[in-house]
Structure formats: structure tokens, C-alpha cells
């Protein structure tokens, strides 16, 4: 008697033969999985395992009892942030600076990528290296480069002012100049990095689009506006979303080292990270510092979810998820 194959239905409408298909696909993709394994291990070890430390934010931590046995304090650690007299200033500075950094970096890096695409192929590598190099420089070194420009006695800017008979400016005592200085330093440090990413995306665009546009009589500006920028838009949205997720995290190295931690600049340069660092250094309260980090992460998650929701409503295909 001829056997009739029987398909056993699993819960949820799936069939039992899907499991062998899964293992077959797993074997076919094993090389890609091996390539992804180091990154997965890194994320698991340094991002998931330390999550148990979140309980420190809700405890009155002391070294004798350790993390697990320190007494619970509820939301007492969070009160330090919200009841501080500087709470509004540091929150405002963190949000405004990061918003300015995201927008200015987006605009400048896209412009640099478009310009790089017009450079002769002989000089592309030189310009790529020149743009990318500042990204690898430590902010400690950057702070001394800024000091060479802003020093009261021998700074380059004050030397130029003296040539025109102007009085030297005490740059590290005047908060009103620092929003512009920090934005420029951040651009110099990071715009080249993002420009290389956008440039890589530009050169991957099919040349047939541009050839067809040239046949139709489109000039270079029309090609950029009608072809390059629309095709760059998904990447631009992705990178902006990734930066928005950390909008409540300030660049500690930038705000601490470049400003030389000048107390006179705190009204214009103090952010959540530098404020928490000083409080931790003075009080040694690890629970309070953990509460601040947890608060920043939660707010960042909410902001990226809201941003992605808005993008999804406007253009579903460009949303991150």
C-alpha cells in the first residue's frame, strides 16, 4: 500500500516541516552568522549583562553591602536631578546643543559629501583622509588646539584682534561665545565622518540615473535636487534617528575638556553629564549617577519612538521600524 504523506499542523497555523526549513536556512547562512557573532557577543556582554546594575538607581548603594544587599531607596536618587536648582538649565543645554549638533552636522556633512563627489578622482583619497582624520583625534588634544586659538596671551584669535587695535577677549570667561565655539568644534570633529558615509552612499547610486538626467538636459544642481538628495533621504533619516536616540546624552569630552571645565562657563556649557560627574566626584553617590543615566536612557527611548512614529506617519518606507 502506498503511503500518503501526512502534514502535521502546529499551533498558530504553521506546519511541522517549517522547522527543518529553518535549520536548512541556518546552515546556508552560517558564514554570515559567524561574521555577526563577535558583534552579538560584544552587545550581549557589554550591553545586556550590565542591565542588572540598573537596580543601583533605586538603592542607597554602599560598598560594604554591594549592589544586591544595599538598602532600597525607591525614587530618592531621582529627586536629586529634578529638585536641583540647575535642573532646568542643564536639561535645556543638553537638548538645545544636541539639536544644534544634529542639524548642523546633517547639513554640513551632506554638503561635504556632495562636494567630495565633484572632486577629481585623483584627489578624492586625500580629501577623504583630511575629512576623516579629526574624528580620531582625542578631545584632550582638541582642547589644546582650541587653547592655541583662544588663549588670553598668545592665542591666535587675540593676536589677530591686537593687529586691528582691539582688546583681547577672555574667551574662557565669556559664556556668550561658547554655543558657537562648541558647534564649530563639533562640526570639525564629526562632520567629516558622516560626510564619508554619505559620500559612500552617493557613489553607490546607479550612474544610469544621472546619464538619463543629462540627456534630458538637467544641470548638476537639478541632478542633486531630483536624484541624489531623494536617494540619500533614507540614510539621512536613519542616521538622524540614531543621533536622536542619544539626544539626552551630551558629549562629556567636548563639554568638559574643550571648555577646560571653566566654572564661569557653566551657565552656557553645563549639561546633564558634566553636572552628574561633578556631583559624583564631590558626593561619591553612585546611585544618583545611575539614576541620571537611567533617566537619560528612558527619555532617549521615548524620543526615538515618537520620532519614528512621526516619520512612519509621513513616510512609512523611511521609518526605522
Amino acid at each position: 500500500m502506498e503511503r500518503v504523506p501526512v502534514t502535521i499542523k502546529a499551533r498558530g497555523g504553521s506546519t511541522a516541516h517549517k522547522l527543518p526549513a529553518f535549520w536548512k536556512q541556518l546552515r546556508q547562512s552560517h558564514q554570515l552568522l559567524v561574521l555577526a557573532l563577535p558583534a552579538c557577543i560584544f552587545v550581549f556582554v557589554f550591553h545586556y549583562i550590565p542591565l542588572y546594575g540598573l537596580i543601583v538607581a533605586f538603592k542607597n548603594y554602599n560598598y560594604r553591602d554591594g549592589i544586591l544587599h544595599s538598602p532600597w531607596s525607591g525614587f530618592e536618587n531621582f529627586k536629586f536631578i529634578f529638585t536641583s536648582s540647575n535642573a532646568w538649565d542643564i536639561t535645556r543645554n543638553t537638548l538645545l546643543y544636541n539639536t544644534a549638533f544634529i542639524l548642523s552636522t546633517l547639513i554640513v556633512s551632506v554638503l561635504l559629501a556632495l562636494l567630495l563627489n565633484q572632486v577629481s578622482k585623483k584627489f578624492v583619497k586625500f580629501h577623504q583622509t583630511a575629512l576623516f582624520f579629526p574624528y580620531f583625534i582625542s578631545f584632550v588634544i582638541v582642547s589644546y588646539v582650541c587653547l592655541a586659538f583662544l588663549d588670553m596671551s598668545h592665542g591666535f584669535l587675540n593676536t589677530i584682534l591686537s593687529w586691528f587695535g582691539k582688546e583681547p577677549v577672555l574667551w574662557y570667561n565669556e559664556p556668550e561665545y561658547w554655543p558657537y565655539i562648541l558647534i564649530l568644534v563639533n562640526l570639525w570633529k564629526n562632520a567629516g565622518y558622516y560626510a564619508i558615509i554619505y559620500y559612500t552612499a552617493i557613489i553607490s547610486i546607479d550612474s544610469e540615473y544621472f546619464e538619463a538626467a543629462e540627456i534630458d538636459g538637467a544641470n548638476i544642481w537639478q541632478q542633486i535636487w531630483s536624484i541624489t538628495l531623494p536617494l540619500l533621504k533614507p540614510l539621512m533619516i536613519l542616521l538622524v534617528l540614531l543621533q536622536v536616540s542619544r539626544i539626552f546624552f551630551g558629549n562629556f569630552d567636548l563639554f568638559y575638556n574643550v571648555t577646560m571645565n571653566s566654572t564661569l562657563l557653566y551657565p552656557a556649557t553645563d549639561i546633564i553629564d558634566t553636572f552628574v560627574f561633578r556631583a559624583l566626584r564631590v558626593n561619591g553617590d553612585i546611585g544618583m549617577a545611575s539614576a541620571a543615566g537611567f533617566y537619560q536612557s528612558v527619555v532617549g527611548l521615548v524620543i526615538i519612538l515618537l520620532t519614528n512614529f512621526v516619520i512612519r506617519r509621513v513616510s512609512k518606507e523611511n521609518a526605522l521600524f
Side-chain angles (χ1 to χ4, degrees):
M1 182 181 296
E2 184 181 355
R3 289 190 177 180
V4 178
V6 179
T7 302
I8 302 174
K9 294 270 186 168
R11 290 186 178 180
S14 61
T15 57
H17 66 78
K18 284 188 177 181
L19 190 59
F22 168 76
W23 289 111
K24 182 179 179 181
Q25 186 177 10
L26 195 65
R27 286 196 301 271
Q28 292 175 346
S29 307
H30 72 279
Q31 293 177 339
L32 295 176
L33 293 174
V34 170
L35 287 174
L37 189 60
C40 294
I41 294 174
F42 177 85
V43 171
F44 178 75
V45 171
F46 293 100
H47 290 81
Y48 283 93
I49 292 179
L51 283 177
Y52 86 96
L54 287 176
I55 61 175
V56 176
F58 304 94
K59 287 197 168 191
N60 184 14
Y61 176 80
N62 61 77
Y63 294 97
R64 181 186 60 195
D65 296 327
I67 294 177
L68 297 178
H69 299 96
S70 295
W72 291 93
S73 62
F75 291 95
E76 289 296 321
N77 290 323
F78 293 88
K79 290 183 179 179
F80 176 84
I81 302 171
F82 297 108
T83 60
S84 171
S85 59
N86 298 324
W88 163 247
D89 291 335
I90 61 176
T91 303
R92 177 202 62 198
N93 289 344
T94 305
L95 284 174
L96 291 181
Y97 273 119
N98 282 332
T99 302
F101 291 164
I102 292 171
L103 294 177
S104 60
T105 302
L106 173 65
I107 295 171
V108 174
S109 59
V110 170
L111 288 175
L112 287 174
L114 294 173
L115 291 173
L116 195 60
N117 191 45
Q118 303 301 318
V119 173
S120 172
K121 300 302 180 183
K122 296 180 180 179
F123 303 103
V124 163
K125 290 186 178 180
F126 169 77
H127 287 87
Q128 282 180 316
T129 305
L131 288 172
F132 206 39
F133 181 72
Y135 183 76
F136 293 101
I137 299 178
S138 166
F139 267 107
V140 176
I141 298 175
V142 173
S143 67
Y144 285 101
V145 173
C146 292
L147 182 64
F149 278 86
L150 305 176
D151 183 65
M152 168 64 185
S153 303
H154 308 289
F156 180 68
L157 293 181
N158 280 335
T159 301
I160 293 177
L161 289 176
S162 66
W163 292 348
F164 293 95
K166 303 290 185 180
E167 291 293 325
V169 178
L170 299 173
W171 298 100
Y172 290 94
N173 294 351
E174 305 292 341
E176 63 268 20
Y177 299 112
W178 280 90
Y180 309 103
I181 294 173
L182 291 174
I183 290 173
L184 289 174
V185 172
N186 180 76
L187 279 175
W188 177 77
K189 189 83 164 57
N190 296 309
Y193 169 78
Y194 289 100
I196 299 302
I197 296 177
Y198 289 125
Y199 173 69
T200 305
I202 291 173
I203 62 177
S204 67
I205 298 174
D206 193 341
S207 60
E208 292 183 358
Y209 291 117
F210 300 102
E211 292 171 0
E214 288 180 2
I215 293 173
D216 290 337
N219 58 35
I220 186 64
W221 301 109
Q222 291 170 331
Q223 292 177 33
I224 290 172
W225 187 258
S226 301
I227 299 174
T228 308
L229 291 180
L231 292 176
L232 276 183
K233 187 168 72 170
L235 178 61
M236 293 163 63
I237 292 174
L238 174 63
L239 293 179
V240 168
L241 278 175
L242 293 177
Q243 293 176 77
V244 166
S245 66
R246 296 187 60 82
I247 198 169
F248 252 69
F249 288 84
N251 190 330
F252 176 81
D253 291 329
L254 172 63
F255 288 91
Y256 184 82
N257 290 312
V258 174
T259 63
M260 295 294 180
N261 196 29
S262 173
T263 57
L264 296 174
L265 302 180
Y266 285 167
T269 64
D270 204 15
I271 58 172
I272 296 175
D273 299 78
T274 54
F275 178 76
V276 171
F277 170 75
R278 289 199 310 276
L280 180 62
R281 186 177 60 182
V282 174
N283 302 326
D285 192 341
I286 296 178
M288 181 274 298
S290 301
F294 183 65
Y295 162 67
Q296 289 174 294
S297 299
V298 170
V299 174
L301 175 63
V302 172
I303 290 176
I304 193 173
L305 289 175
L306 290 175
T307 306
N308 186 78
F309 174 76
V310 173
I311 294 174
R312 191 176 181 84
R313 299 281 291 183
V314 176
S315 177
K316 187 176 181 179
E317 64 274 8
N318 291 322
L320 186 61
F321 48 85

